[in-house]
Amino acid sequence: MTSRIEAQPSPKVSDEIRKTTCYMCACRCGINVHMQDGKVKYIEGNRDHPVNKGVLCAKGSAGIMQHYSPARLRAPLKRVGPRGSGEFEEISWEEAYEIAVSWLKPIRETDPKKLAFFTGRDQSQSFTSFWAQAYGTPNYAAHGGFCSVNMAAAGIYTMGGAFWEFGQPDWDRTRLIMIFGVAEDHDSNPIKAGIGKLKGRGGKVIGVNPIRSGYNAVADEWIGITPGTDGLFILSLIHELMRAGKVDAGYLARYTNAGFLLDEDGLFLRNEEGVPLVVDRATGDAVRFDTPGALPDLTNGLERQGKTYRTVMQAMAEAFLDPQYAPEAVADRCGITPERIRATAAELARVAFEEEIVLDQPWTDWKGQRHETMVGRPVSFHAMRGISAHSNGFQTCRALHILQILLGSVEVPGGFRFKPPYPKPPEAHPKPNAVGRPGQPLAGPHLGFPMGPEDLQICENGLPLRIDKAFTWENPFSVHGLMHMVISNAHAGDPYKIDTLFMYMANMAWNSSMNTSEVMKMLTDRDENGEYVIPHILYSDAYSSEMVAFADLILPDTTYLERHDCISLLDRPICEAEAAADAIRWPVQEPDRDVKGFQSALVDLGARLGLPGFVNEDGSQKYADYADYMVRHERRPGIGPLAGWRGEDGESEGRGAPNPNQLQRYIENGGFWIGHIPEEAQFYKPWNQGYQDWAVKIGLFDKPLPYVFNLYVEPLRKLQRAAEGHGACQPPEHLRDRVKATCTPLPVWYEPFEEAAVDKAEYPIHALTQRPMHMYHSWGSQNAWLRQITNVNRLYIPGGIWEAEGFEDGDWAEVTSPHGRIKVPVARMDALNAETIWTWNAIGKRRGAWALDEAAPEAEKGFLLNHLIHELLPPKGDGRRWANSDPITGQAAWFDLRVKIRRVPPDGPSEPAHEAQASPVGRGPADVAYGEGFK
């Protein structure tokens, strides 16, 4: 006789579910927030959400601990002790606004560039830039300049978009994906789900990274490349593909500038109307590149009046078939065998051309030609900071984009696909604006895409207009600004002094700065009169971070579950390749403290300062708060921050008048809106007339924007020509050679600047830092649940160095760079490039920050490599200190660090051990439990 067991239902965990958008990393996944008695009880993934489809990672689930963190700020704060001490008194919002206005109003009326306004991991940059433009300061940017601007800029100049937020692999069809420099924190849920799909149907993953963790640990092949040589490896792959004739010539002729003719100056040969010319393969005549029915000849140039004009493809063959890129020539430097390079190139070609995908889907191109099928190359790529954060990163990223274009695997079935509002050619983006006038807004957006020397932001005397020196000859295409240079330039008064540094979610006194220890000194340094060199520091954060201690005035932000946010098509939307989409956050729980969403505080400040766009004609405040702005603001007629449920009846998509019930419609739909692209417009977006028309219909464009990919970037050649002595705007003498060598219209590889500047015999080891999958930025390691996964970091050392230095388990090491020294705990890791050491970023904490105990493991054993990395390169003996950045974009070169290491006695704490800062929120309890501890 068998006993019968009754199934028991799951215990009740909530009495209501509220759906919003996660903020524990930048994936923007949909979440279901379970509420009990009006408080957050539990967080799970939203199965209906297009980004994560119900998947939620450790970070997302631990969002409840972020929401209830003891480190949350409670009210506006005014500094009462010295900067860096953390000594504050709580004040009212009214007093906080009065202080802020007393700083900001006078300098706006006299010299608005004395405000430097920079935001960190903010996802409302279209709004913060709108505020800064209305204020009139040229000094605005966000964190992209020290994160991944090389990837973004290289992608847009080459093909109109890049990886991650710009596009994604066709996970449903790709059969081979190659990932370069991808740490686990970026796009983690979609990538994990995509790799699962790919491997589930027998596909292959090739990981290229000095470190074999995360995605590289599950890759079928791991290539443990030497840091800084990815571009050399990619150019060798291109060399092999071109040598074997394994490129998609038809794709290159139709969809790229491979057939464009070059004149004797290396610029495009154009007709009287300024349109680039190609040789029509059928007639041999020179015609406009966009002539219907004309197919460019790639390999035969043009003879005209005794002059020979070659094609871009001929220039590429000359450049990339050069023996310097042969596998034998690059293998040792890359740490890869020649055979491995050849095998990788052969595998890419085999899958691309022998496993071709054909979809029975008719479509019409931008020249009016109808195609009955869509042909795909099932090879895809993904890359992030690992190849971007080098001083040769822009050209490395360009090379990778060209590699996938040569295979014909961009915007085709099985390849890389753009996410709306991308693709957009560089010409469709604004030009940068930095000419400020007292009491007036800037004429246009701060950040943009220069198309030549004439678009650089340089005074008539050649001096930079911006505090970070963006859009100058030092870094002409710095399309995201240089956040890592703001504090050091302001401290040095180079190119000028500022009055107020205003930052949001930018932990520049700790893990977001190179040269961290020295940056803390810069923030507290005084002049000969005893006044702070940077007179005023205004900061907004939700938590008691390291940076809070260095501010004079704190505007306390909410947690992400207590605020309105707009993840907008104007900014960084949640789109997928098949659809346009955006999302909101909304207060699923109202704050129980005297805090305010930063964007709402900016709305208030904008009104008190009388900024255009923030006040009505009578001077009254235009928007009640950020939620009101999200609904009623129009960037141009009918186009606002949110695309869903527009129009007075809420039935329009993309375009339409403001709808007063718009936010409620988002909430009812789970916090997001999605508009699917028609089937015939799903692929070939830059050249598909159906896609172009759909994009205009929903307001992504005002008119169709078809274009071809830029294998050859003419604006870079214009910079080179200026350096060669042509034109009215030329670089200073000391920069001419650098511009000529690095601003090449076809990708080139050069040794990272710091490596070239240091003694490699003295500093023989590469040192890297990356974020773990379960942490994101500095705020993760205050989280009670995530601290149980990792509350200390170690420096991981490959077996050869481990044995040579005599390390044993439990040991510590002294690590020295040309700029500094740290003492840290170590561990052995053999799945690592033999010349590289590495650690997790942002685990280490300064004592007293984040409401942690002063003896917390994060402070005792946690550490940062940042103390070893300088924002400037070592002196060259020419009297100048050069920025430790990419010379084209200004991207911070975090990963060019060279060090030496030695074993030291195994005892803590880790060094440097900075003095504890006072905590304006006290210390967290020993135990946190739902109920009494969650107030």
Side-chain angles (χ1 to χ4, degrees):
M1 181 176 178
T2 58
S3 60
R4 184 175 179 181
I5 300 175
E6 295 289 338
Q8 298 296 316
S10 298
K12 183 179 179 181
V13 296
S14 61
D15 47 37
E16 183 185 0
I17 296 175
R18 298 180 176 178
K19 300 186 177 187
T20 186
T21 306
C22 188
Y23 200 15
M24 294 299 286
C25 77
C27 279
R28 290 80 50 88
C29 295
I31 53 175
N32 297 339
V33 183
H34 290 254
M35 310 293 294
Q36 189 174 76
D37 300 326
K39 294 189 293 186
V40 177
K41 179 69 180 296
Y42 172 69
I43 300 174
E44 64 179 354
N46 178 358
R47 295 186 180 186
D48 299 322
H49 199 275
V51 171
N52 58 315
K53 301 175 178 63
V55 175
L56 200 63
C57 68
K59 296 189 298 292
S61 296
I64 188 171
M65 289 296 170
Q66 215 76 354
H67 177 65
Y68 289 117
S69 168
R72 292 173 300 168
L73 298 174
R74 298 166 185 160
L77 298 171
K78 180 173 68 173
R79 180 176 58 80
V80 295
R83 274 196 198 156
S85 67
E87 297 171 12
F88 293 91
E89 67 176 11
E90 292 188 356
I91 59 175
S92 68
W93 275 97
E94 184 62 30
E95 184 177 355
Y97 284 152
E98 288 177 357
I99 294 171
V101 169
S102 74
W103 299 344
L104 298 174
K105 191 174 183 64
I107 58 175
R108 180 173 189 263
E109 294 172 348
T110 56
D111 191 358
K113 72 175 181 294
K114 292 195 174 209
L115 168 65
F117 178 41
F118 285 73
T119 69
R121 299 193 175 277
D122 173 29
Q123 294 175 12
S124 60
Q125 289 167 21
S126 67
F127 171 72
T128 52
S129 66
F130 178 72
W131 189 95
Q133 183 180 336
Y135 184 91
T137 179
N139 296 317
Y140 166 83
H143 80 283
F146 64 63
C147 180
S148 55
V149 66
N150 275 335
M151 186 61 67
I156 288 175
Y157 274 108
T158 305
M159 60 183 190
F163 301 117
W164 192 30
E165 292 177 319
F166 302 88
Q168 64 184 162
D170 184 3
W171 290 115
D172 291 326
R173 299 177 183 87
T174 194
R175 294 169 188 164
L176 170 64
I177 183 169
M178 197 168 182
I179 57 175
F180 285 80
V182 181
E184 296 88 90
D185 61 305
H186 273 107
D187 206 16
S188 59
N189 283 338
I191 289 180
K192 285 182 288 188
I195 288 177
K197 281 185 181 180
L198 171 66
K199 292 176 76 73
R201 60 175 182 271
K204 184 175 183 179
V205 179
I206 300 176
V208 183
N209 198 313
I211 305 160
R212 190 167 198 182
S213 62
Y215 309 127
N216 296 281
V218 300
D220 300 278
E221 290 185 23
W222 171 59
I223 298 174
I225 196 163
T226 301
T229 65
D230 301 82
L232 198 55
F233 172 47
I234 294 165
L235 290 170
S236 189
L237 294 175
I238 291 173
H239 173 96
E240 284 297 287
L241 291 171
M242 293 186 72
R243 186 183 62 81
K246 297 293 186 179
V247 298
D248 192 333
Y251 181 98
L252 295 175
R254 291 184 179 90
Y255 308 132
T256 79
N257 66 9
F260 282 26
L261 293 166
L262 298 172
D263 67 19
E264 60 272 21
D265 295 322
L267 303 176
F268 295 143
L269 185 66
R270 300 173 185 269
N271 66 7
E272 295 79 5
E273 299 167 309
V275 179
L277 300 177
V278 299
V279 173
D280 182 1
R281 188 183 301 176
T283 66
D285 295 331
V287 299
R288 291 170 53 126
F289 80 96
D290 55 356
T291 301
L295 190 65
D297 191 325
L298 301 183
T299 56
N300 291 296
L302 178 71
E303 296 284 345
R304 176 185 283 180
Q305 298 177 346
K307 295 181 179 179
T308 300
Y309 302 100
R310 59 179 181 163
T311 67
V312 165
M313 193 68 188
Q314 289 175 307
M316 289 176 62
E318 179 181 333
F320 300 144
L321 290 176
D322 190 295
Q324 68 175 315
Y325 297 126
E328 286 79 9
V330 308
D332 287 346
R333 192 155 212 167
C334 296
I336 309 169
T337 65
E339 292 75 19
R340 190 76 175 275
I341 296 172
R342 288 196 182 88
T344 303
E347 181 72 352
L348 291 171
R350 184 192 67 78
V351 176
F353 299 114
E354 296 180 22
E355 298 189 21
E356 179 181 274
I357 295 173
V358 179
L359 301 183
D360 293 325
Q361 176 60 62
W363 65 288
T364 301
D365 69 25
W366 55 295
K367 296 180 181 180
Q369 181 177 351
R370 179 177 169 83
H371 305 262
E372 296 303 319
T373 62
M374 292 180 168
V375 178
R377 309 287 179 209
V379 173
S380 55
F381 296 85
H382 188 71
M384 273 309 297
R385 191 182 303 107
I387 70 169
S388 185
H390 292 283
S391 52
N392 59 16
F394 176 83
Q395 294 289 18
T396 292
C397 295
R398 279 260 299 134
L400 181 56
H401 294 314
I402 285 178
L403 172 61
Q404 56 183 341
I405 291 169
L406 288 173
L407 292 168
S409 66
V410 178
E411 259 307 313
V412 299
F416 170 83
R417 304 173 68 188
F418 292 112
K419 301 177 182 181
Y422 295 93
K424 291 190 288 186
E427 295 86 353
H429 293 264
K431 305 285 181 64
N433 288 273
V435 179
R437 297 164 296 168
Q440 298 296 317
L442 285 186
H446 305 78
L447 305 177
F449 285 75
M451 300 307 295
E454 66 278 6
D455 296 325
L456 300 183
Q457 300 300 294
I458 309 172
C459 292
E460 291 183 1
N461 59 9
L463 296 177
L465 290 172
R466 292 175 51 108
I467 188 67
D468 59 358
K469 302 185 182 181
F471 307 113
T472 68
W473 286 109
E474 291 189 34
N475 22 252
F477 287 177
S478 42
V479 301
H480 287 176
L482 285 80
M483 190 167 180
H484 58 293
M485 296 303 300
V486 173
I487 292 172
S488 60
N489 287 358
H491 177 262
D494 179 20
Y496 47 77
K497 292 184 178 296
I498 65 168
D499 177 86
T500 301
L501 176 65
F502 188 3
M503 287 190 159
Y504 171 52
M505 278 184 62
N507 201 12
M508 304 303 288
W510 200 244
N511 64 290
S512 289
S513 276
M514 301 164 131
N515 197 17
T516 301
S517 295
E518 291 302 313
V519 166
M520 289 191 281
K521 294 179 183 177
M522 295 175 194
L523 293 171
T524 56
D525 196 16
R526 297 177 185 266
D527 62 20
E528 62 277 6
N529 298 318
E531 303 295 329
Y532 286 116
V533 173
I534 301 175
H536 302 115
I537 299 178
L538 175 56
Y539 186 56
S540 180
D541 203 320
Y543 306 99
S544 181
S545 67
E546 284 88 355
M547 184 62 194
V548 163
F550 291 86
D552 303 310
L553 179 66
I554 301 294
L555 305 180
D557 194 15
T558 66
T559 73
Y560 73 100
L561 297 178
E562 301 170 317
R563 62 185 295 130
H564 281 98
D565 265 330
C566 182
I567 304 104
S568 170
L569 285 167
L570 300 177
D571 193 9
R572 303 169 68 186
I574 63 163
C575 295
E576 296 298 291
E578 298 85 4
D582 59 17
I584 67 166
R585 296 185 188 92
W586 59 284
V588 298
Q589 182 176 337
E590 291 295 331
D592 58 357
R593 309 166 315 287
D594 192 16
V595 298
K596 184 176 295 192
F598 174 67
Q599 291 80 4
S600 289
L602 273 189
V603 167
D604 293 344
L605 277 176
R608 288 168 180 256
L609 291 167
L611 303 186
F614 289 86
V615 292
N616 299 308
E617 290 185 4
D618 63 0
S620 60
Q621 184 161 333
K622 185 171 185 177
Y623 303 110
D625 53 21
Y626 187 50
D628 190 25
Y629 170 93
M630 287 162 57
V631 171
R632 294 201 296 119
H633 176 72
E634 290 183 280
R635 192 54 56 97
R636 57 189 197 276
I639 304 297
L642 294 171
W645 298 285
R646 298 195 66 81
E648 294 182 3
D649 59 1
E651 298 304 316
S652 298
E653 291 187 326
R655 294 181 184 269
N659 167 20
N661 298 314
Q662 188 179 38
L663 292 184
Q664 186 58 38
R665 296 293 297 273
Y666 271 84
I667 292 169
E668 292 167 357
N669 196 58
F672 69 92
W673 164 83
I674 188 166
H676 289 278
I677 303 170
E679 288 291 327
E680 68 275 12
Q682 291 275 326
F683 295 95
Y684 301 101
K685 293 186 184 81
W687 324 290
N688 187 321
Q689 192 60 50
Y691 176 79
Q692 295 290 321
D693 292 343
W694 174 84
V696 171
K697 178 183 177 182
I698 72 163
L700 300 183
F701 313 144
D702 287 333
K703 63 180 181 179
L705 290 172
Y707 66 96
V708 294
F709 290 161
N710 295 313
L711 300 175
Y712 188 99
V713 176
E714 189 183 42
L716 286 170
R717 177 58 191 148
K718 291 180 179 179
L719 298 182
Q720 270 193 322
R721 278 181 48 76
E724 292 166 357
H726 301 280
C729 183
Q730 297 180 20
E733 286 301 319
H734 71 279
L735 287 172
R736 287 184 187 271
D737 288 343
R738 189 171 87 160
V739 171
K740 285 189 282 187
T742 61
C743 295
T744 57
L746 292 172
V748 67
W749 185 85
Y750 50 87
E751 186 178 30
F753 290 160
E754 178 153 332
E755 287 193 47
V758 304
D759 183 341
K760 297 183 185 64
E762 184 177 1
Y763 301 101
I765 302 168
H766 300 269
L768 304 177
T769 181
Q770 67 179 35
R771 289 198 298 266
M773 189 175 288
H774 57 277
M775 297 282 190
Y776 192 76
H777 206 255
S778 52
W779 61 73
S781 56
Q782 59 152 330
N783 186 296
W785 288 0
L786 300 181
R787 291 184 70 212
Q788 294 178 61
I789 300 174
T790 308
N791 63 2
V792 297
N793 56 316
R794 290 177 173 81
L795 186 68
Y796 294 100
I797 300 175
I801 297 175
W802 181 272
E803 292 172 1
E805 296 294 329
F807 284 112
E808 298 179 358
D809 287 345
D811 271 352
W812 288 57
E814 178 186 77
V815 186
T816 307
S817 78
H819 316 293
R821 167 193 168 277
I822 60 175
K823 188 179 78 171
V824 298
V826 297
R828 177 171 178 160
M829 179 177 176
D830 290 315
L832 187 57
N833 175 273
E835 299 174 5
T836 303
I837 60 178
W838 76 282
T839 192
W840 298 124
N841 185 36
I843 303 297
K845 292 283 175 278
R846 184 184 171 191
R847 284 173 177 75
W850 303 98
L852 297 175
D853 189 280
E854 290 187 15
E858 289 85 352
E860 287 290 309
K861 295 183 178 179
F863 64 94
L864 299 176
L865 280 187
N866 306 51
H867 300 289
L868 300 178
I869 309 171
H870 206 288
E871 75 276 5
L872 301 174
L873 291 170
K876 292 171 52 177
D878 60 359
R880 295 182 174 89
R881 289 294 298 274
W882 301 63
N884 187 14
S885 307
D886 186 284
I888 301 172
T889 66
Q891 157 95 52
W894 294 95
F895 294 166
D896 289 352
L897 179 64
R898 298 290 294 239
V899 301
K900 59 185 175 182
I901 188 171
R902 70 180 183 91
R903 184 173 177 243
V904 296
D907 63 336
S910 55
E911 295 176 3
H914 292 283
E915 182 181 350
Q917 63 190 58
S919 174
V921 294
R923 300 282 173 246
D927 299 298
V928 178
Y930 191 85
E932 188 63 29
F934 283 8
K935 291 293 182 80

